[in-house]
Amino acid sequence: MRARRLAAAAWRDGRAWVPRPRRLPRRRVTIPVTVAPDAAGEQAQVWDLVLRYRGPATRRHRRPGPPAPLLPAAGQADPGDEDFRRAAADAWKWASAQPRYPGGGTVTWRLRVPADGPGAPPEVGGGSAGAAFAVGLAYLFGLTRATRGRLDRRAVVSALVDPSGLLGPVGRLESKAAAVRAAGGRLVVAAAAAEEARAAGVGGRPPVVPVATVPEAVRESRVPRRPWPPLALLATVALLATSGCLGQLYRQREEARQDGTVRRLVNQSFAEATGETERAATAALRARRLDPGSTDTWRALVRIAAADPRLTRVIPTGRPVGHLAYSPDGALLVSASDGVVTARDADTGKVTATSGPLGGPVTALGFLPGGHDVLLGTGTGALLAWRPGGAARRIGTAPGGAITAVAAAPDGTRVAYGVRGQGVWVRPVAPDRPATRITTTAPTAVAFPGSRSVVVASAGARPGDPVLRAFPSDGTGRARVLIKKRFALFRGGVTALAVSPDRRLLVSADIQGGVRAYDTATLAERYRPVDLKGGVYAVAVGSDGRTVVTAGHSFPLSGGSATTDENADVSVTDLRTGRPVGYALQGRRQLTSLTSVLAVRPGTGQIAVATGSGAITLWRPPRAPDPAGPVWTALPDPADRTAVLLFHQDGRVVRERPGSGRGAVAARLGGHDGVLTARFSPAGDLLAVGHWDGTVTLWRYPGMSPAGTLPAPAGDPYRVYRLAFSPDGRVLAAGGPSGVVHLWRPGARKPWLRLDPPRPSPLAALAFLPRSGDLVVTRRDGLVQAFRPGATRPVRQTAMPNDAGVVLPAPDDGMIMGFGVGSYARYGADLAVRTRFTARHDANVLDAALSPDRALVASAGMDGQALLIDGASGAAVAAMPGVEADADKEEDASAGSYVSAAFTGDGRYAVFGTYRGHAEAVALSEADVTRRVCGLAGRPAPAPDAPEGECG
């Protein structure tokens, strides 16, 4: 109840400062009035005097005509008291003499008992209501300036009034003061009666306000303007303004802090993209979550997604990984970290089982044949067999040392394990059978090439010491020496052994970088030894049985095995040729800090390598060169927006769908000598193909039925490596190393026009401008010419400092040019430079393509890199290194380079064709990029409705 009174008082005091609009005359005014009935002994009461005006509304002070009379309202009994009638008449006389009193209409009055009043009023009398009538009329018609305020319903005016507006005292003030005090109001009386009214009060209530005239009574009957509402308003405004400023400052500070965090994360992702891929991916995802609409965060994501395309997934483990192994069927990937062994699904990377305490750190790991039983050796000398999901069982004990290597015979009857300082023990799997000891100083590896022999590797102390020997499978009998220690400089000898999945090949690696392959049946060397740079500490045989994956360091480390040392060189070597297959996994860009802990998955050849940060990286197996030859041209498929067409040199056309990772031969273009280039007509229904023999073949698409052949023009039998269709598809421009450009009408037997170079120079690029139809011709000597349709003389030409091998037209007839020095620039239709791009190659630009929305440029260069460039700013979005060139660089200078570029029709992928006949795709859609980066961060794939930058 108290709260309601406080709220009502605040509302009333606040409204006192709000001026009322001058809507005059008002239609009704209600003013409190004290009524003292004539009956003896009755108490005075506070009633409502309601004045209502009925007449024409006007803004004029007075309309012509007699003043509006003051009459009792219908149903209001006329008081019989003459003093009451005289008081009302005197109030009307004062009011009607005022300039604003209206002419015409009628003013009615009536007395109304308040809602909480005592009931129906009796007959009243007395002249004290005269002042109330005058004040009411003043408010009704705005007769004084004070009526702009709000009438206080708690101010009770009780005084006589004369026609001139003077107020006089009234009687029975004690009874009236009691009524006003009960109503909680204040009493406005004539100045002559003020002392009597105060004496009639109790405890200073009701407050008494003396007045002398009607205007003064009007002023005092307003709601009093107390100082606290404006002060409170000012304080509120100041508080709101301060809060707004502080809030804006806080938001600006938070935005600046968030921007700083985003910049730090983006820079961190850029810096660590060449060191720790999972950390870089995590930083890029965090930045994207903080600022989903930022171009910088998008570049960071794409940069990570376009990292080494061989890296497919990162599995975080949270602790250093000491050993890795795939099950014989390739279904499980098992890792050992200290004293814990974890089994994961090889496809998804999810943990399927974890071992319990093993009584010591795991120092050796392998598999028993024919199942998923894991063979473990510990630092306490325990030889264990663990089936994922069950408990480990002991099958042997190594007295006095840690187990350094384990192996199982193919028939599962025997196991061999090396013990530091003790030698190698061979024993049946049954725990109650005796073991045979093979004496050696420092065993480093052990393997069963077959069921009849066991091979032991060790570190020799002196030159000539045997470091690789073969024994009968039971460990007895005479040893066969395969390798002897060559140098005295290093302590170690053979450091690792591996058997191919088909068990036909045994491979050894030593600390001097030697890799040797043996036939498992005869133990004779099958291939010539391979000498790698530095020391090799781990080796695994690829699923093809011809390649080996090795890990080591460029300079041999002292002390033998160095499996957990970071920055290991992991590479793939072809045993037949002794040459690397592609760059090392850290060769062109150090994506993550790899160790010498690795394994190769049977069947698929997937390579698993542990990192120094405690993660497992999964790598795509290397690919041999495609016999179909380089992919000289890649084009979006007009018939399938999710695919691109790859044109191989031998005439094979492959439809590649990057989203599904599947490719299929769409056509074979035979009958001519090799394919160099291809272009679709603007409608996409006609395909032109340029060949090495100078001819151009036409094909109807998508049926790939022949549509004609444009023969090599007489006197110009050079190969055709540049083609361009006019915007209307009626003219085809073709050219090659002679520098001559022939304009054909498809289906004709002779060229329509011939554009000769002003001086001998090979052709560099051809492009039609979409708006004007002008043909832009660039040449190797840097000359750039623009020809009107049907003209043989250029309308514009300029000399560039370098040859423009790529011209990408823009809708406004501008163009983006890529040069032989690897740079890019934007030019206008007048061939004047507009913007120079900051992104560039280190060698020739070979091919480029614009995305469907023209926001990105995909560029392939002879430096072995594929670039994604922001089409507006010219900044590099991502760079994808080539991975297929031989590291010894004995091939052609462009070997392994990306030689062609294209976007899918839906713009979700950029596809780059390589010199070795393969294609690499870079995902560009938000969902695909996030999925890829989440995989590289070791996180589950995001849900379909996940916010940007969120993984599963």
Side-chain angles (χ1 to χ4, degrees), residues 490-581:
F490 306 110
R491 291 180 53 194
V494 174
T495 55
L497 294 173
V499 180
S500 62
D502 59 5
R503 308 202 70 84
R504 294 182 179 181
L505 202 66
L506 170 70
V507 177
S508 69
D510 59 52
I511 200 170
Q512 286 83 31
V515 177
R516 302 191 180 199
Y518 302 89
D519 188 290
T520 56
T522 64
L523 293 181
E525 288 195 56
R526 180 177 295 184
Y527 305 110
R528 295 179 59 185
V530 177
D531 288 326
L532 303 178
K533 297 178 181 179
V536 179
Y537 296 97
V539 65
V541 184
S543 59
D544 56 5
R546 300 188 305 270
T547 56
V548 290
V549 184
T550 57
H553 292 265
S554 58
F555 188 81
L557 302 178
S558 61
S561 177
T563 56
T564 57
D565 288 291
E566 298 183 22
N567 300 321
D569 297 323
V570 181
S571 59
V572 182
T573 305
D574 191 328
L575 291 172
R576 297 172 301 175
T577 63
R579 300 173 64 182
V581 181

Side-chain angles (χ1 to χ4, degrees), residues 379-403:
T380 58
L383 182 66
L384 307 173
W386 174 64
R387 177 168 294 177
R393 69 181 190 278
R394 183 184 295 267
I395 60 175
T397 302
I403 295 177

